[in-house]
Amino acid sequence: MKMLTRSILILVSICLVAPQLEAQRRNRNQSQPQGKTYDELLYNKMEWRNIGPFRGGRSTTVTGVIGDNQTYYMGTAGGGVWKTEDAGLNWANISDKFFNTTSIGAVSVSASDPNVLYVGTGESPIRGVMTSSGDGVYKSTDAGKTWTHLGLENTLHISQVRIHPTNPDIVYVSSQGSPYAPTQDRGVYKTTDGGKNWNKIHFVDANSGAIDLSMDMNNPRILYAAYWDHDRDP
C-alpha cells in the first residue's frame, strides 16, 4: 500500500511539474525577438571598451589561439607585436630586440601548434600621408619568446599570412610590395619548409599588390587572393 501511494505521489508531481516547464519554455521563446537566438541576445548587451596597450599605436592585425580564450596577439603600425595572456588585462611587447622594424602587417598562429607564429611586416593599409615599410617575415616556435627572420625583405608590405591547418611548415604570404613604384616583389608566396625557402606562386603585374588572402580551412588547397593597384602621383 505504501509503494502504491508513493507511486501515485510521484506521478502527480510529474503531472504538475511538466506543464510548468512547458509554459516556461514557451514564455522564453515568445520573449525572444523573431529570428534571434539566445546567444545573440546576450551579445547585444555587451559593450566595446578599449583594453590597450596604450603605447602600441593603431592596430593593423589581431589574432587569437584556438581553444584558449585568454591569449591574443596584436600587430601595430609602429609599435611592433604585442601579446596578452589574460584577455587584455596586461599586454607585453614581444618583438622588441628581435625585429628590425616596428611596422606590422599580419600576425598568424598555427591552428595545429599554437607555439608557432608567423608575422608579416609592413603595415598593409596604405595611407596617403605616410606608411612605414617592413622587411619580410618573422617566425617564432616558442609562442613569441624568440624570433627568426625568414627573408622576403623586398615585399615591404605584407597584408596576410595564412598557415596550413595541420602543417605549420606550409605557409602562404600575400605581398603588396612598394606603394611608390612598380616592383616584381608583389603577389602570393608559399613555403613548405617553415620559411627556409619561398616560391612566388601568383603574380598579376608590377603594379598590382595582393591586399588580402583567404584559405578554406576545410580544404586548404583552396585559396582566394584579392589584388589592387596603388599609384602615387608625383
Side-chain angles (χ1 to χ4, degrees):
M1 187 66 179
K2 290 182 178 180
M3 290 296 296
L4 178 60
T5 302
R6 186 178 296 110
S7 299
I8 293 173
L9 290 174
I10 293 174
L11 179 60
V12 171
S13 299
I14 293 174
C15 292
L16 291 174
V17 171
Q20 294 177 359
L21 293 176
E22 177 62 20
Q24 292 176 3
R25 184 187 66 80
R26 286 198 304 270
N27 292 335
R28 185 171 62 249
N29 291 338
Q30 292 173 359
S31 66
Q32 296 179 15
Q34 195 68 22
K36 286 188 176 290
T37 66
Y38 187 62
D39 287 342
E40 287 175 331
L41 295 177
L42 287 177
Y43 285 124
N44 286 341
K45 300 298 182 182
M46 300 177 67
E47 297 181 358
W48 292 97
R49 59 191 177 90
N50 190 345
I51 59 173
F54 302 105
R55 296 180 63 85
R58 65 185 183 277
S59 176
T60 53
T61 177
V62 64
T63 189
V65 177
I66 295 177
D68 182 354
N69 64 2
Q70 299 294 303
T71 303
Y72 299 89
Y73 299 89
M74 180 186 73
T76 63
V81 181
W82 296 71
K83 178 181 181 179
T84 177
E85 296 180 280
D86 51 19
L89 293 177
N90 297 280
W91 291 88
N93 184 290
I94 58 174
S95 58
D96 284 355
K97 300 180 181 179
F98 292 102
F99 286 31
N100 297 318
T101 179
T102 58
S103 181
I104 307 301
V107 178
S108 186
V109 182
S110 170
S112 59
D113 184 353
N115 287 310
V116 177
L117 289 81
Y118 291 88
V119 171
T121 61
E123 177 188 7
S124 61
I126 302 296
R127 305 177 70 211
V129 287
M130 185 60 189
T131 298
S132 298
S133 299
D135 66 340
V137 179
Y138 289 81
K139 177 183 179 181
S140 175
T141 57
D142 51 15
K145 294 178 182 177
T146 59
W147 297 87
T148 301
H149 187 227
L150 301 180
L152 293 184
E153 293 90 342
N154 295 329
T155 55
L156 296 185
H157 295 273
I158 292 176
S159 56
Q160 293 290 351
V161 175
R162 301 300 183 189
I163 306 174
H164 191 283
T166 61
N167 186 346
D169 286 335
I170 301 177
V171 183
Y172 300 85
V173 168
S174 56
S175 164
Q176 287 183 247
S178 172
Y180 306 111
T183 174
Q184 298 294 313
D185 298 298
R186 307 185 192 274
V188 179
Y189 293 81
K190 178 183 180 180
T191 179
T192 58
D193 54 14
K196 296 177 182 177
N197 298 281
W198 294 92
N199 293 313
K200 185 162 60 176
I201 61 173
H202 195 263
F203 178 74
V204 174
D205 58 50
N207 294 306
S208 299
I211 184 61
D212 204 354
L213 183 65
S214 180
M215 174 188 289
D216 186 339
M217 299 302 282
N218 294 316
N219 186 357
R221 295 178 300 173
I222 299 176
L223 294 97
Y224 296 88
Y227 284 77
W228 74 332
D229 290 0
H230 186 277
D231 185 19
R232 181 184 289 269
D233 293 332

